[in-house]
Amino acid sequence: MPPPSSSPSPPSSSSPSQAPPKPAKPSPSRILVAVDGSACAKKALDAALEMAREMGATVYILMVVEKLPLVAARRDMMASVEALMEKDARVLLADYATLAERRGVKAETIVAKGHPANIILYTAKAKGADMIVVGRRGLGGFRGLLMGSVSSAVLQNSKVPVLVIK
């Protein structure tokens, strides 16, 4: 009588079992970079463009024009100043878009009005950004001891990774 057939057993290994490799984290495909014309914001833009070029990501270059307070100013005068600020923002963003194009990065520029940290967070969500890049300090009036108030607020409230550039 032939011996009962048994299913083959897996080969035994004397080495400890290895856990399967962890899947690689996906790299960002949409990077939002906030700029304000400061040297620190330009460094943030350069970092975002370099990452985007290496990863094949799209960059959204955002400049927020803060609304002026209604303190001791006429409305028509404030509207003129805000319009001039918006025009200056568009000129700067056009230069940044040209820079992105020269570096082989797909970029979209955005000018928005409001509180910078709120607008950055809102725009990141609206554009489906995987990452936000900001400068540590910008052109704001009062500067924090270690980090600007805008970058600090973005870092504390963002749902996506934030890279703060010195």
Side-chain angles (χ1 to χ4, degrees):
M1 178 175 239
S5 67
S6 63
S7 60
S9 61
S12 65
S13 170
S14 60
S15 65
S17 65
Q18 294 179 331
K22 292 182 180 178
K25 291 184 180 179
S27 59
S29 61
R30 291 177 299 278
I31 301 170
L32 174 70
V33 59
V35 297
D36 64 1
S38 67
C40 202
K42 176 62 170 63
K43 289 180 184 178
L45 174 67
D46 288 337
L49 292 177
E50 181 63 24
M51 283 189 300
R53 187 183 60 73
E54 290 177 4
M55 299 174 191
T58 298
V59 173
Y60 298 97
I61 308 170
L62 170 67
M63 188 160 187
V64 180
V65 176
E66 288 189 74
K67 292 188 178 199
L68 298 175
L70 284 172
V71 180
R74 295 185 354 220
R75 286 187 196 273
D76 59 335
M77 184 179 182
M78 286 178 34
S80 296
V81 171
E82 285 180 354
L84 182 60
M85 291 169 57
E86 190 171 334
K87 180 181 175 189
D88 287 347
R90 291 191 190 288
V91 169
L92 182 64
L93 289 178
D95 290 343
Y96 288 168
T98 300
L99 178 63
E101 185 179 335
R102 276 187 283 174
R103 293 189 186 178
V105 175
K106 182 180 174 191
E108 178 183 322
T109 60
I110 304 162
V111 175
K113 291 182 184 178
H115 183 271
N118 293 342
I119 296 296
I120 292 166
L121 294 166
Y122 171 82
T123 304
K125 184 175 181 179
K127 294 294 182 179
D130 313 292
M131 175 182 276
I132 300 171
V133 180
V134 294
R136 183 173 67 101
R137 290 187 184 206
L139 294 175
F142 179 78
R143 297 173 188 241
L145 293 174
L146 298 176
M147 184 179 296
S149 61
V150 172
S151 56
S152 180
V154 170
L155 190 60
Q156 291 176 15
N157 296 295
S158 178
K159 304 289 188 223
V160 298
V162 177
L163 177 61
V164 180
I165 303 293
K166 285 176 83 173

